[in-house]
Amino acid sequence: QNNYKVTVCGAAGGIGQPLSLLLKQNPLVTDLSLYDIVHTPGVAADLSHIDTKSKTTGFIGADQLGDSLKGSDVVVIPAGVPRKPGMTRDDLFNVNAGIIKDISNSIAKNCPKALVAIITNPVNTCVPIAAEILKKAGVYDPKRLFGVSTLDVVRARAFIGHALGVDPQSVQIPVIGGHSGVTILPVLSQSQPLFKGDQATIEKLTVRIQEAGTEVVKAKAGAGSATLSMAYAGARFAGSLLKGLNGEKNVVECSYVQSKITEATFFSTPLVLGKSGVEENLGLPKLNDYEKKLLEAAIPELKKNIQKGIDFANA
Ligand code: APR
C-alpha cells in the first residue's frame, strides 16, 4: 500500500512536535494528522513546508478530535501532562488517564482498526485504560494496542554502546516488563555484544536504565521530562508499526501489550510486527538469577499499575 495516515494526539507538546517532525520524514506516511488542544495549526503550517510527500493537517480542540482520527492507520499518543521534579509518573495519573479515556473513545468511533501506540505516562496504566475503553466500545483487538517502551531499549543501547566503545546502533538488547522504575527489566545477560562486568557494575547499569527518566527530569530542572529522546523512540516505534503494516518481514520491537507471558496481564516483550499489529509474541528472553529476581519485583508492581487502569476505566 505504501500509503498511510498517522495521527499524533498531543502534537504541539515537547514530545509531540519533534515526533511529528520525525514522522514527516517517514516515506510511508502520506497523511500526517496533528491533533492537540493548542497550537496545531501553526505546527502543521510549519511542517507542511518541509519537502516530503505527506500532507500535514492541524486539528485543534476536542471538537476536531474525531476528524483528526478518521481513517487513521496508526495513532501515536503523547498527549498529557509531563513530570515535574519531585513528581512520580503516577502523580500524573488523573489528568492523563482522563485524556487517554477521551481519545480512546474517539478512536473507537473514528478509526477502530488503527494501531494505537501510547506514550502518555504512566504507560503501565494508560494502556490498560485504553484497552478497557476500547473493549466497552466493542472494538478492542489486543494485537493493535501498544505501550511505547522503545525509549528503554534506546537508552540501554546508548549506554551499552558508549560503555563498550561500539556503535549503539549495533547493540541488541531486550528490555521487558513495564515502563516505570522497577518494572523496567533490561535483560543485560542477553545483550549483543555482551555487556560484561561484576555484579555491582551490572546492577549499576540496570538501575541507571530503570531511572533514566528521572535523570532527565533532574537535569531539566523544572522544564519537564524526556522529550527529544522520547520523540526519537516514538518515531522509531511508529516507523516499525508502519513497516509491519506495509508487509516488511522480521520487524521486531519490544512493546507493552496484553500478554499471557507472565502473571501481569500487560507486559513488554519482543514482538514481531506485521499487517495486523502483533504477529507473534516472542516471549521471555532467557533470564539469569539476578534478572529473575528483578522479574519477581516487577510483577506485583505491574499488577497494581494494571488494576489501577482497569478500575479507572470502569469507575
Ligand atoms: N488532548 C490532546 N492533547 C492534549 C490534551 C488533550 N486533552 N491535554 C493536553 N494535551 C497536550 C498539551 O496541549 C501539550 O501540547 O499534550 C501536550 C503535552 O506536551 P507537554 O506538556 O510538552 O508534555 P511532554 O513532555 O510532551 O509529555 C507528554 O508524554 O512521556 C509522557 O510523561 C509524559 O505524560 C507525558 C506526555
Side-chain angles (χ1 to χ4, degrees):
Q1 186 189 341
N2 202 11
N3 184 348
Y4 300 96
K5 173 170 177 176
V6 178
T7 299
V8 180
C9 292
I15 296 168
Q17 290 203 36
L19 172 61
S20 302
L21 171 62
L22 293 166
L23 289 169
K24 175 70 181 151
Q25 297 170 63
N26 188 317
L28 291 176
V29 180
T30 36
D31 191 348
L32 182 59
S33 163
L34 306 183
Y35 172 75
D36 202 301
I37 51 173
V38 292
H39 303 322
T40 35
V43 177
D46 194 354
L47 286 179
S48 72
H49 292 185
I50 292 175
D51 55 353
T52 57
K53 75 176 176 193
S54 51
K55 181 168 70 75
T56 313
T57 315
F59 296 88
I60 188 163
D63 289 351
Q64 296 186 9
L65 175 59
D67 285 340
S68 80
L69 290 168
K70 199 149 278 163
S72 296
D73 299 291
V74 172
V75 180
V76 191
I77 310 178
V81 182
R83 277 164 91 195
K84 308 242 164 60
M87 264 173 112
T88 66
R89 289 194 175 98
D90 288 335
D91 292 334
L92 310 174
F93 179 69
N94 281 317
V95 183
N96 288 0
I99 294 172
I100 292 300
K101 186 175 175 184
D102 293 346
I103 294 173
S104 301
N105 272 317
S106 193
I107 288 172
K109 283 197 203 102
N110 294 291
C111 53
K113 294 258 178 235
L115 304 181
V116 178
I118 297 182
I119 291 173
T120 307
N121 275 313
V123 166
N124 291 359
T125 305
C126 285
V127 175
I129 291 173
E132 288 298 304
I133 300 294
L134 295 172
K135 232 182 263 174
K136 280 176 198 267
V139 300
Y140 179 52
D141 177 355
K143 291 183 179 348
R144 294 173 191 269
L145 177 65
F146 304 86
V148 180
S149 51
T150 317
L151 182 52
D152 305 316
V153 177
V154 165
R155 284 169 168 155
R157 279 160 51 110
F159 300 164
I160 292 169
H162 290 297
L164 297 182
V166 302
D167 181 354
Q169 297 278 314
S170 71
V171 176
Q172 300 294 326
I173 166 138
V175 182
I176 63 171
H179 179 58
S180 172
V182 298
T183 69
I184 299 170
L185 205 174
V187 188
L188 294 177
S189 68
Q190 298 299 312
S191 80
Q192 286 175 346
L194 183 62
F195 180 82
K196 290 195 204 98
D198 56 18
Q199 188 55 20
T201 309
I202 299 280
E203 289 186 16
K204 198 168 158 212
L205 180 60
T206 300
V207 171
R208 184 171 180 216
I209 295 165
Q210 291 178 325
E211 295 300 326
T214 306
E215 201 176 293
V216 178
V217 169
K218 282 192 184 143
K220 289 199 173 182
S225 47
T227 52
L228 302 171
S229 52
M230 186 62 244
Y232 170 85
R236 172 177 137 178
F237 185 69
S240 292
L241 290 177
L242 289 165
K243 282 183 194 166
L245 277 179
N246 204 42
E248 199 172 303
K249 295 288 160 214
N250 303 317
V251 182
V252 176
E253 290 281 357
C254 289
S255 179
Y256 182 72
V257 295
Q258 189 180 317
S259 165
K260 293 198 171 94
I261 306 282
T262 70
E263 263 177 62
T265 50
F266 288 82
F267 196 88
S268 185
T269 44
L271 309 169
V272 180
L273 300 172
K275 292 197 178 200
S276 51
V278 180
E279 210 125 90
E280 188 188 350
N281 189 326
L282 297 176
L284 280 186
K286 198 158 173 263
L287 304 180
N288 65 22
D289 287 345
Y290 171 59
E291 291 155 355
K292 282 183 191 153
K293 271 202 216 122
L294 292 176
L295 179 63
E296 272 170 35
I299 299 287
E301 180 64 21
L302 266 176
K303 284 168 80 174
K304 253 194 324 199
N305 296 165
I306 294 162
Q307 192 56 46
K308 192 170 174 184
I310 294 171
D311 292 345
F312 177 89
N314 292 303

